[in-house]
Amino acid sequence: MNRIHLHLLSDSTGETLEMIAKAALAQFENADVVRHFWPMVRSQQHLERIVPELANNPGLVLYTLVNVSTREALEDHCRKLSLPAVDALDEVTHALERQLGEEAHGRPGRQHRMDDAYFQRVEAIQYTIAQDDGVGAEHWEEADIILAGVSRSSKTPTSIYLANRGYKVANIPLVVESPPPAILFELKKPMVVGLTTAPERLVQIRRNRLLTLNEQSETSYVEKDRVTEEVKFARRMFADNNWPVIDVTRRSIEETAAAIIRLHNERHARIKPGEKPI
């Protein structure tokens, strides 16, 4: 197995850098990567404290540093240590400068500034947490997206991920013995999406959940025939209401969220100005 040290240096929270690294590393199944995360590097004094760690754990240095002097100092240290250093946003920024005909602002953390989009994300997160697991049906019409599915079909983590992208999301568990509130079938603004998964995989997830909680592992909750009926019940509801369905069996939360966002964007693209979603 190939093992490398990956140093991530950012003058902000490092969230963007981590996402870039994660996306790139997903292409290498056999790599053993030791990550060293260095956020909020905004001075050469801070950088000097990191350099010994670079020397003790040589590897690839990936960075997003907009301050010219700090960036040049890092690049100089990397040359002296014979370490490869890559500016994660450099090529994209230069391309945008050429297309837009203006110079980029060298402001650390600019993507995280407290603008309207920031407050929209905060509001979306607060809404989503308040409407988790079928709670707050009277507020569902305010949602952008409603996720429906049987227990342990990744509704809550997917909802939180989408909320961090600025979408107000409510989610509701589908239980055979307890039909969802009638309002679910009367919503106009939100897009309702059904999440489903293979019964075998669902049984495995539920068993692990029970073990984590130190609860009895042999109940109807994990009985295969029962779980299969639950999944069929949910699928019939999705089909009867013409809701889009996403099978999360082999999808990560990020992949599921990306598919939902695509559906949401396509839905709104079909709506003419002044019309309401249907």
Side-chain angles (χ1 to χ4, degrees):
M1 181 176 292
N2 299 321
R3 186 176 193 183
I4 66 166
H5 288 274
L6 177 62
H7 295 273
L8 306 176
L9 285 83
S10 172
D11 49 23
S12 185
T13 63
E15 179 183 354
T16 300
L17 191 56
E18 282 196 297
M19 291 176 64
I20 293 172
K22 185 176 181 179
L25 288 170
Q27 309 302 316
F28 302 92
E29 297 180 356
N30 298 319
D32 179 15
V33 180
V34 180
R35 302 190 196 194
H36 305 267
F37 185 45
W38 314 101
M40 307 305 291
V41 182
R42 294 186 174 181
S43 67
Q44 293 195 38
Q45 291 81 1
H46 188 174
L47 179 61
E48 293 298 330
R49 295 196 297 270
I50 297 172
V51 171
E53 295 296 328
L54 302 181
N56 293 332
N57 301 285
L60 174 63
V61 178
L62 191 62
Y63 64 93
T64 52
L65 301 172
V66 298
N67 182 274
V68 175
S69 60
T70 306
R71 182 171 65 242
E72 289 179 346
L74 171 63
E75 292 170 347
D76 183 55
H77 283 299
C78 287
R79 278 193 296 271
K80 292 178 179 177
L81 295 170
S82 298
L83 301 180
V86 179
D87 186 329
L89 297 179
D90 197 41
E91 288 300 320
V92 176
T93 302
H94 288 333
L96 286 171
E97 285 180 329
R98 290 192 295 270
Q99 291 296 312
L100 295 173
E102 64 177 271
E103 187 175 346
H105 294 286
R107 300 179 189 173
R110 187 171 175 83
Q111 72 273 33
H112 298 291
R113 66 189 188 279
M114 295 177 69
D115 55 8
D116 290 342
Y118 170 82
F119 290 108
Q120 180 181 340
R121 287 196 301 274
V122 172
E123 183 180 357
I125 292 170
Q126 292 174 338
Y127 175 90
T128 300
I129 292 173
Q131 267 62 233
D132 183 42
D133 203 31
V135 175
E138 67 274 16
H139 300 295
W140 287 353
E141 188 62 45
E142 303 170 26
D144 299 305
I145 300 164
I146 305 284
L147 301 182
V150 300
S151 174
R152 313 313 300 175
S153 55
S154 302
K155 298 183 299 301
T156 294
T158 304
S159 296
I160 297 299
Y161 185 94
L162 288 166
N164 275 282
R165 297 289 299 273
Y167 297 92
K168 290 184 177 180
V169 186
N171 74 78
I172 178 170
L174 299 181
V175 182
V176 177
E177 298 83 4
S178 179
I183 191 175
L184 177 64
F185 309 101
E186 302 168 359
L187 298 172
K188 299 298 182 183
K189 175 180 175 288
M191 177 185 70
V192 182
V193 178
L195 300 185
T196 188
T197 188
E200 297 80 8
R201 175 60 175 159
L202 195 56
V203 168
Q204 181 183 8
I205 293 173
R206 289 184 177 184
R207 285 188 185 280
N208 290 339
R209 174 64 173 170
L210 292 177
L211 288 172
T212 301
L213 297 175
N214 292 319
E215 295 185 3
Q216 184 179 347
S217 60
E218 295 303 324
T219 69
S220 59
Y221 184 65
V222 294
E223 203 275 316
K224 184 178 179 181
D225 290 341
R226 168 60 182 266
V227 172
T228 300
E229 285 303 311
E230 285 186 56
V231 173
K232 288 181 179 178
F233 166 76
R235 283 187 171 276
R236 282 195 300 270
M237 186 178 295
F238 302 153
D240 290 344
N241 292 278
N242 199 31
W243 295 333
V245 181
I246 297 177
D247 190 330
V248 303
T249 306
R250 299 185 181 278
R251 291 179 187 259
S252 65
I253 299 300
E254 294 86 349
E255 290 170 330
T256 300
I260 293 170
I261 292 172
R262 185 172 61 251
L263 289 169
H264 183 269
N265 291 341
E266 290 173 352
R267 179 175 186 249
H268 277 262
R270 294 193 299 267
I271 301 170
K272 297 179 182 178
E275 290 184 346
K276 293 183 178 181
I278 57 174

